[in-house]
Amino acid sequence: MFGYANPKRFMELSGRLLPWLGATTAILFAAGLYLSFTAPPDYRQGDTVRIMFIHVPAAWVAMMGYGFMALASLIGLVNRHPLADVAAKQAAPLGALFTALALITGSLWGRPMWGTYWQWDGRLTSFLLLLFLYLGYIALWNAIENEVRAAKAAAILALVGVVNLPIIEFSVQWWTTLHQGESIFRRGGPTISAVFLWPLFIMAAAYTLLFFTLLLVRMRTEILERRMRALALAANA
Amino acid sequence: MRALGALLVRDVRLAARAGGSAVLALAFFAAVVTLVPFGIGSDAKLLARVAGGVLWVAAVLANLLALDRLFQADYEDGSLDLLALSPLSFEGITVAKMTAHWLTTGLPLTILSPVLALLLNLPATAYTALIVSLLIGTPAVSAIGSVAAALTLSIRRGGLLFPLLVLPLLTPVVIFGAGAVLARLDGVENGAIWLLAAFSVAAVLLAPFVGAAALRLNLSE
Amino acid sequence: MGARLRTVHYLEVADLACVRGGRAVFRDLSFRLARGDALIVGGPNGSGKTSLLRLLAGLLPPAAGTISISAEGTQIADREERAKFIGWLGHYDGAKPQLTPREALRFFARLYGTASDPSLLEVVGLSRSADLPCQYLSAGQKRRLALARLKLCGRPLWLLDEPLASLDASGKALLLNLLRDHLAGGGIAVIATHDPLDLDAARLPLT
Amino acid sequence: MAAFFVMGKYAAFVWPAYGISALGIVASVALSLRAYRRAKTRLAALERTVK
């Protein structure tokens, strides 16, 4: 069948791996949340420091997600492996979700300090632009009917985006120094005392595993849907 | 090279003709700038402060107007196939299109900008900074815009998707461009113009190759 | 540049396969055309006639099989290299609405690097509307302009997709003359069409 | 226990942050799993009709 190559091996592998991945993610979340709420309040920020335990991991996965998407796009372009395109396509909505969570928790975290929900601070602004990059990628993919062409066009966009990310990051930081002084995030950031390191680290691990768990589930769904399309096409050809 | 020149001359002629995109972009630029005082009031001091930023944002938006159909018109009427089969490489096609767009949109906007700066009461000292920053920055807009145009050429209503793809990538241009004008206003030297030039050079040098890759993929699927 | 390319010795296609939208349009297609040969590709809509022409032109990558041209003593299989030998007449005529036929021909002459030949406009019967922007031309006139461009670029390997579409009787006669001159001059032509074309050529019906 | 919920007078920020994050995560998990199950059953049905 000329149609979509059938990645049997991936389906078997991911089928066996998923239950373990899901269980580990759940355990990490349980441990992480427990530690987040039993950690002492920060001497300066008080209990708002607990928001850091869900803001920083979301921000990390948002950036890691885009990097993963760009890597999968590169592999998809270079050796035309359809599985890489599926991975990149399904990583985008997840990345966008975590970017949105990073923005929301970031704004809630800054609110007590700034007095407003939005502060044009370097880090938050960069995540806002990252969200636009994700949305542009998803929109481009859905706008092109031909699947193979959509995969390649989106791959090029992801690579252009990942090359531009550091430039955008730098220009936004440069721009914040232009308009107002330091902000809480960048004045060396809140020095993270040791007792906060554990909850932060475990929550980051939980978020990362969650990303890959959901990614595998969504990739399997995409593969099943592509097989359905191929069957339907073959049936009435 | 002659082939590249031929395409460049043809596209400039097409854009300059009535109904061409050049006049449209200028009118849009003037309209947006004229609208701003109605929005934020005619207080001269406030306008002077935001003039650089408003002119830069309006210039970028006006540029986008003509960009999304840069390749699409040729794709739809069969010309792109003829260009692909000509001695011109895809890189050459992108260079010609990018340059034609800058000559018919980026450059005229830069020339018109001081006139509109009057409307916004831009202080006299900042005029050179405005023109120089636009002169250096608009090629980057044409370059990045042409890559996005090549990516979206097979989409019938790509026009709606186009700004979403391009604007995040253009933030550095707006930041450094408007930043250069503001720096001049405040009499401070923060290297904005050099950062803008660096970004522009990189964009202009890389865009033909990325644009060509996008054209190849859209033609060969 | 145009004239020098007249020396294509043959076009070789070996077990070519084409896939469109996940479906095999055709496979194991092989044929060979030498100088002066013509091939008429018939078949219902969707049988892959246009796809075959786009594959031969190098505009599409084949799913399987090879296409090569032997010219100036060398074997050329690379897609973008092969494209430089192709005279293309597609569904759409590539006529820019705001340009006049005269301007369009001058542009193509400079684009393809061949001498601009204003007399072509008379040959194809467009002399009266030579300075009328193409948006005012009829479909038949635009097709005639495309024929003028085809002749102008002087490419040895012609690929014509439904060339008779929107041509009247005299237009058909014009096309046949151009085709016969091209073949007599040692050119090769592959024509995808439904309508009968009285040209002695091999036939390839795509099912 | 009450002190826990007051969150050192920052309850209005900490709980919405956790709430929205939980909502986002639970929703994405549920949607992803549901889409997978639906695709699985529809594919099985299609394969039966094609046989």
Side-chain angles (χ1 to χ4, degrees), chain C residues 20-49:
Chain C
R20 302 298 295 154
R23 205 166 46 78
V25 178
F26 57 75
R27 56 176 75 155
D28 306 332
L29 185 64
S30 302
F31 59 84
R32 173 190 162 97
L33 296 172
R35 283 165 59 93
D37 287 353
L39 174 68
I40 293 179
V41 180
N45 289 334
S47 56
K49 297 199 298 293

Short mmCIF file of all heavy atoms in Angstrom, two decimals, chain C residues 20-49:
data_model
loop_
_atom_site.label_atom_id
_atom_site.label_comp_id
_atom_site.label_asym_id
_atom_site.label_seq_id
_atom_site.Cartn_x
_atom_site.Cartn_y
_atom_site.Cartn_z
N ARG C 20 -0.63 10.32 -5.63
CA ARG C 20 -1.26 11.61 -5.31
C ARG C 20 -2.26 11.38 -4.18
O ARG C 20 -3.12 10.49 -4.28
CB ARG C 20 -2.04 12.16 -6.54
CG ARG C 20 -1.21 12.36 -7.79
CD ARG C 20 -0.11 13.35 -7.65
NE ARG C 20 -0.56 14.72 -7.42
CZ ARG C 20 0.19 15.64 -6.78
NH1 ARG C 20 1.33 15.30 -6.29
NH2 ARG C 20 -0.23 16.86 -6.63
N GLY C 21 -2.11 12.13 -3.08
CA GLY C 21 -3.06 12.00 -1.97
C GLY C 21 -3.13 10.57 -1.46
O GLY C 21 -4.22 10.04 -1.22
N GLY C 22 -1.95 9.94 -1.34
CA GLY C 22 -1.93 8.61 -0.72
C GLY C 22 -2.41 7.51 -1.63
O GLY C 22 -2.48 6.35 -1.24
N ARG C 23 -2.71 7.83 -2.88
CA ARG C 23 -3.25 6.80 -3.78
C ARG C 23 -2.30 6.66 -4.97
O ARG C 23 -1.80 7.66 -5.48
CB ARG C 23 -4.64 7.25 -4.26
CG ARG C 23 -5.59 6.13 -4.67
CD ARG C 23 -7.01 6.68 -4.78
NE ARG C 23 -7.05 7.97 -5.51
CZ ARG C 23 -6.97 8.05 -6.86
NH1 ARG C 23 -6.82 6.95 -7.55
NH2 ARG C 23 -7.01 9.22 -7.47
N ALA C 24 -2.09 5.42 -5.41
CA ALA C 24 -1.19 5.19 -6.55
C ALA C 24 -1.95 5.57 -7.82
O ALA C 24 -2.92 4.91 -8.19
CB ALA C 24 -0.78 3.73 -6.60
N VAL C 25 -1.52 6.63 -8.50
CA VAL C 25 -2.23 7.07 -9.71
C VAL C 25 -1.84 6.16 -10.87
O VAL C 25 -2.67 5.68 -11.62
CB VAL C 25 -1.85 8.53 -10.02
CG1 VAL C 25 -2.53 9.00 -11.28
CG2 VAL C 25 -2.24 9.41 -8.84
N PHE C 26 -0.53 5.90 -11.02
CA PHE C 26 -0.11 4.87 -12.00
C PHE C 26 1.23 4.33 -11.55
O PHE C 26 1.91 4.93 -10.73
CB PHE C 26 -0.02 5.45 -13.43
CG PHE C 26 0.89 6.63 -13.59
CD1 PHE C 26 2.28 6.46 -13.59
CD2 PHE C 26 0.38 7.91 -13.72
CE1 PHE C 26 3.13 7.55 -13.72
CE2 PHE C 26 1.24 9.00 -13.87
CZ PHE C 26 2.61 8.82 -13.86
N ARG C 27 1.63 3.15 -12.07
CA ARG C 27 2.96 2.61 -11.70
C ARG C 27 3.52 1.78 -12.85
O ARG C 27 2.79 1.45 -13.80
CB ARG C 27 2.85 1.76 -10.43
CG ARG C 27 1.81 0.62 -10.52
CD ARG C 27 1.84 -0.22 -9.25
NE ARG C 27 1.16 0.53 -8.16
CZ ARG C 27 0.61 -0.10 -7.13
NH1 ARG C 27 0.65 -1.41 -7.04
NH2 ARG C 27 0.02 0.57 -6.18
N ASP C 28 4.81 1.48 -12.76
CA ASP C 28 5.53 0.67 -13.75
C ASP C 28 5.34 1.20 -15.15
O ASP C 28 5.04 0.45 -16.08
CB ASP C 28 5.04 -0.81 -13.70
CG ASP C 28 5.13 -1.35 -12.27
OD1 ASP C 28 6.02 -0.84 -11.55
OD2 ASP C 28 4.31 -2.17 -11.89
N LEU C 29 5.51 2.53 -15.29
CA LEU C 29 5.33 3.15 -16.61
C LEU C 29 6.71 3.34 -17.23
O LEU C 29 7.60 3.89 -16.60
CB LEU C 29 4.65 4.51 -16.43
CG LEU C 29 4.27 5.26 -17.70
CD1 LEU C 29 3.21 4.45 -18.48
CD2 LEU C 29 3.70 6.62 -17.36
N SER C 30 6.92 2.78 -18.43
CA SER C 30 8.23 2.94 -19.08
C SER C 30 8.02 3.30 -20.54
O SER C 30 7.15 2.71 -21.20
CB SER C 30 9.02 1.63 -18.96
OG SER C 30 9.16 1.28 -17.60
N PHE C 31 8.78 4.26 -21.02
CA PHE C 31 8.79 4.52 -22.47
C PHE C 31 10.03 5.34 -22.79
O PHE C 31 10.72 5.83 -21.89
CB PHE C 31 7.52 5.26 -22.93
CG PHE C 31 7.27 6.57 -22.27
CD1 PHE C 31 7.88 7.73 -22.74
CD2 PHE C 31 6.44 6.66 -21.17
CE1 PHE C 31 7.66 8.95 -22.13
CE2 PHE C 31 6.22 7.88 -20.55
CZ PHE C 31 6.82 9.02 -21.03
N ARG C 32 10.31 5.44 -24.08
CA ARG C 32 11.50 6.18 -24.48
C ARG C 32 11.17 6.97 -25.74
O ARG C 32 10.51 6.43 -26.64
CB ARG C 32 12.61 5.15 -24.76
CG ARG C 32 13.89 5.70 -25.34
CD ARG C 32 14.79 4.53 -25.78
NE ARG C 32 15.80 4.96 -26.70
CZ ARG C 32 17.06 5.25 -26.33
NH1 ARG C 32 17.40 5.15 -25.07
NH2 ARG C 32 17.95 5.62 -27.23
N LEU C 33 11.53 8.23 -25.77
CA LEU C 33 11.23 9.07 -26.93
C LEU C 33 12.55 9.61 -27.47
O LEU C 33 13.36 10.12 -26.69
CB LEU C 33 10.32 10.23 -26.53
CG LEU C 33 8.91 9.86 -26.04
CD1 LEU C 33 8.19 11.09 -25.50
CD2 LEU C 33 8.10 9.25 -27.20
N ALA C 34 12.73 9.49 -28.78
CA ALA C 34 13.97 10.02 -29.37
C ALA C 34 13.64 11.34 -30.07
O ALA C 34 12.49 11.78 -30.09
CB ALA C 34 14.54 9.02 -30.38
N ARG C 35 14.69 11.96 -30.67
CA ARG C 35 14.48 13.25 -31.34
C ARG C 35 13.36 13.11 -32.37
O ARG C 35 13.29 12.12 -33.09
CB ARG C 35 15.78 13.64 -32.08
CG ARG C 35 16.88 14.17 -31.18
CD ARG C 35 18.22 14.17 -31.92
NE ARG C 35 18.13 15.00 -33.15
CZ ARG C 35 18.47 16.29 -33.16
NH1 ARG C 35 18.85 16.88 -32.04
NH2 ARG C 35 18.39 16.98 -34.28
N GLY C 36 12.46 14.10 -32.44
CA GLY C 36 11.42 14.10 -33.46
C GLY C 36 10.21 13.26 -33.08
O GLY C 36 9.20 13.24 -33.77
N ASP C 37 10.28 12.55 -31.92
CA ASP C 37 9.12 11.71 -31.52
C ASP C 37 8.09 12.53 -30.78
O ASP C 37 8.43 13.51 -30.11
CB ASP C 37 9.59 10.58 -30.58
CG ASP C 37 10.38 9.53 -31.36
OD1 ASP C 37 10.40 9.69 -32.61
OD2 ASP C 37 10.97 8.64 -30.74
N ALA C 38 6.83 12.08 -30.88
CA ALA C 38 5.76 12.71 -30.08
C ALA C 38 4.97 11.60 -29.39
O ALA C 38 4.92 10.47 -29.89
CB ALA C 38 4.83 13.51 -31.00
N LEU C 39 4.41 11.92 -28.24
CA LEU C 39 3.61 10.92 -27.50
C LEU C 39 2.32 11.59 -27.06
O LEU C 39 2.35 12.66 -26.45
CB LEU C 39 4.39 10.43 -26.27
CG LEU C 39 3.64 9.49 -25.33
CD1 LEU C 39 3.37 8.14 -26.02
CD2 LEU C 39 4.42 9.27 -24.03
N ILE C 40 1.18 10.97 -27.38
CA ILE C 40 -0.11 11.54 -26.95
C ILE C 40 -0.63 10.69 -25.79
O ILE C 40 -0.77 9.46 -25.91
CB ILE C 40 -1.11 11.56 -28.12
CG1 ILE C 40 -0.61 12.57 -29.18
CG2 ILE C 40 -2.50 11.94 -27.63
CD1 ILE C 40 -1.48 12.69 -30.39
N VAL C 41 -0.84 11.33 -24.65
CA VAL C 41 -1.29 10.61 -23.45
C VAL C 41 -2.79 10.83 -23.30
O VAL C 41 -3.24 11.98 -23.19
CB VAL C 41 -0.55 11.17 -22.20
CG1 VAL C 41 -1.01 10.44 -20.95
CG2 VAL C 41 0.96 11.05 -22.38
N GLY C 42 -3.55 9.74 -23.39
CA GLY C 42 -5.01 9.87 -23.26
C GLY C 42 -5.46 9.33 -21.92
O GLY C 42 -4.64 8.91 -21.11
N GLY C 43 -6.80 9.34 -21.70
CA GLY C 43 -7.29 8.76 -20.45
C GLY C 43 -8.26 9.71 -19.76
O GLY C 43 -8.21 10.91 -20.01
N PRO C 44 -9.13 9.13 -18.94
CA PRO C 44 -10.17 9.95 -18.27
C PRO C 44 -9.55 10.92 -17.27
O PRO C 44 -8.36 10.85 -16.95
CB PRO C 44 -11.02 8.88 -17.55
CG PRO C 44 -10.08 7.73 -17.35
CD PRO C 44 -9.14 7.73 -18.52
N ASN C 45 -10.39 11.83 -16.78
CA ASN C 45 -9.89 12.76 -15.76
C ASN C 45 -9.42 11.96 -14.54
O ASN C 45 -9.97 10.91 -14.23
CB ASN C 45 -11.02 13.70 -15.32
CG ASN C 45 -11.33 14.69 -16.44
OD1 ASN C 45 -10.44 14.96 -17.25
ND2 ASN C 45 -12.55 15.16 -16.50
N GLY C 46 -8.37 12.46 -13.89
CA GLY C 46 -7.89 11.81 -12.67
C GLY C 46 -7.05 10.59 -12.97
O GLY C 46 -6.64 9.87 -12.06
N SER C 47 -6.78 10.32 -14.27
CA SER C 47 -5.95 9.13 -14.55
C SER C 47 -4.47 9.50 -14.42
O SER C 47 -3.62 8.66 -14.63
CB SER C 47 -6.24 8.66 -15.99
OG SER C 47 -5.98 9.74 -16.87
N GLY C 48 -4.17 10.75 -14.15
CA GLY C 48 -2.78 11.11 -13.88
C GLY C 48 -2.06 11.73 -15.05
O GLY C 48 -0.84 11.78 -15.08
N LYS C 49 -2.83 12.22 -16.05
CA LYS C 49 -2.15 12.82 -17.23
C LYS C 49 -1.32 14.02 -16.78
O LYS C 49 -0.12 14.12 -17.05
CB LYS C 49 -3.20 13.27 -18.24
CG LYS C 49 -4.04 12.13 -18.81
CD LYS C 49 -4.72 12.51 -20.11
CE LYS C 49 -5.70 13.64 -19.94
NZ LYS C 49 -6.87 13.25 -19.11
#
